[in-house]
Amino acid sequence: MANVGVWVYYWRERRSEFNWLWHAILPVVSGLVLIYALAESFPPFCPSQNCPVDPYAKAPLVAGGWLVLGIILLVYYAATKRDEWLKTAGAALGESEDDLAMAKVGPGATSKV
């Protein structure tokens, strides 16, 4: 997702700074490496000597399940306009709106932290 985000951001928002190597080729290559590593974690694609044994073979499935569940919840809350949970989650991580406002300092200005 971040690789696609880099490409889209620099292509749309900062086109004058867009660099084919840094913002297109390297994100695609790193994405392919990640896909290869993910494929190597599952039995249909991994060689028998490298396949993880139980219970470790289930780890990618559990992590993938949590990821899918998180994406479903995010889409549900965004679709129902219930974004108050985001502020609550941020506060639980110590990121209140005051902290975020302090972090948004304009160029050339100094922050009193």
Side-chain angles (χ1 to χ4, degrees):
M1 293 289 272
N3 292 339
V4 173
V6 165
W7 191 334
V8 170
Y9 175 74
Y10 276 95
W11 187 257
R12 288 184 184 169
E13 303 294 327
R14 295 184 174 219
R15 193 144 207 188
S16 63
E17 298 176 26
F18 184 82
N19 182 310
W20 280 100
L21 175 66
W22 293 109
H23 305 123
I25 296 171
L26 288 177
V28 168
V29 170
S30 67
L32 292 174
V33 168
L34 289 172
I35 290 170
Y36 172 76
L38 181 63
E40 285 287 317
S41 299
F42 290 100
F45 303 107
C46 65
S48 59
Q49 68 271 18
N50 289 342
C51 278
V53 295
D54 281 334
Y56 306 110
K58 308 272 189 287
L61 297 175
V62 172
W66 275 112
L67 177 65
V68 169
L69 180 63
I71 291 171
I72 289 171
L73 283 172
L74 181 65
V75 169
Y76 170 74
Y77 281 129
T80 58
K81 307 285 189 215
R82 296 170 58 185
D83 56 356
E84 189 63 33
W85 66 272
L86 188 57
K87 294 178 184 175
T88 305
L93 294 172
E95 297 175 354
S96 67
E97 289 185 17
D98 294 334
D99 295 335
L100 295 175
M102 294 268 310
K104 294 180 181 178
V105 176
T110 57
S111 172
K112 296 179 183 177
V113 179

